[in-house]
């Protein structure tokens, strides 16, 4: 089956829509954060590991909840947990509320990594603000926060 014979402009929306632009911006931002982490000596983590750590509560989170938050299967999340556990960033512990269940928690080394990650995020955010301006940054963050909140509230 051959593709439809329509001018490329008819499909320009595929490259120029909020989802694509947000995805491209997120990729650029996270790659810069990881570059800054590497410069700070934190060379072991990849973008996929951030998908675990951004959803992990400081007091620990069940695997099923981590998978739900990250929109991943439990098996895929377990693989990320295994990788981060091998790096010494997280560990599995019994859930105090249900001894049959396990929660994933940051280790001491994981909390140190999280601190370095936070510093890298702040530096990357400052670079972004320098590039798009403080007013642009306020519009982006405020608008996206409102958009996400409306979804969370069922709006």
């Amino acid at each position: 089956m051959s593709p439809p014979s329509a001018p490329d402009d008819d499909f320009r929306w595929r490259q120029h829509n909020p989802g694509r632009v947000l995805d491209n911006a997120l990729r650029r931002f996270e790659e810069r954060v990881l570059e800054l982490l590497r410069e700070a000596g934190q060379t072991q983590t990849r973008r996929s590991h951030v998908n675990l750590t951004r959803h992990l509560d400081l007091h620990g989170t069940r695997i099923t909840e981590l998978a739900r938050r990250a929109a991943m299967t439990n098996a895929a999340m377990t693989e990320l947990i295994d990788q981060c556990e091998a790096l010494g960033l997280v560990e599995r512990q019994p859930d105090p509320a249900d001894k049959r269940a396990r929660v994933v928690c940051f280790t001491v080394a994981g909390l140190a990594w999280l601190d370095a990650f936070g510093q890298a995020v702040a530096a990357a955010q400052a670079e972004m603000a320098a590039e798009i301006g403080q007013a642009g940054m306020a519009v982006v963050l405020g608008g996206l926060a409102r958009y996400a909140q409306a979804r969370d509230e069922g709006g």
Side-chain angles (χ1 to χ4, degrees):
M1 179 174 187
S2 62
S5 58
D8 287 344
D9 286 348
D10 288 351
F11 295 100
R12 187 173 187 271
W13 63 266
R14 295 184 66 224
Q15 301 299 320
H16 300 282
N17 66 73
R20 178 60 70 103
V21 172
L22 287 168
D23 184 57
N24 291 343
L26 177 62
R27 182 177 299 111
R28 178 181 174 194
F29 185 81
E30 287 183 340
E31 286 171 359
R32 180 60 180 144
V33 167
L34 291 173
E35 181 181 339
L36 290 166
L37 274 172
R38 284 190 296 277
E39 291 172 6
Q42 299 283 345
T43 60
Q44 72 276 27
T45 49
R46 299 188 318 262
R47 279 186 79 217
S48 59
H49 299 140
V50 173
N51 204 24
L52 162 62
T53 58
R54 81 163 32 106
H55 297 292
L56 180 56
D57 297 328
L58 291 177
H59 57 78
T61 310
R62 286 187 180 184
I63 296 169
T64 54
E65 178 60 15
L66 286 168
R68 186 194 66 75
R69 290 177 184 176
M72 300 172 70
T73 65
N74 284 356
M77 179 54 71
T78 298
E79 184 176 330
L80 279 180
I81 293 165
D82 290 344
Q83 292 171 14
C84 289
E85 196 168 40
L87 295 171
L89 300 177
V90 300
E91 62 187 357
R92 292 173 176 95
Q93 297 180 353
D95 185 339
D98 180 355
K99 298 297 183 200
R100 298 167 296 173
R102 309 282 284 168
V103 293
V104 178
C105 300
F106 284 106
T107 62
V108 172
L111 290 172
W113 175 88
L114 188 62
D115 185 52
F117 183 78
Q119 291 175 35
V121 166
Q125 186 170 328
E127 291 173 2
M128 183 180 179
E131 189 169 327
I132 68 172
Q134 290 294 339
M137 193 70 162
V139 168
V140 167
L141 292 177
L144 291 175
R146 282 189 304 279
Y147 182 74
Q149 184 178 16
R151 170 117 200 299
D152 292 344
E153 293 174 353

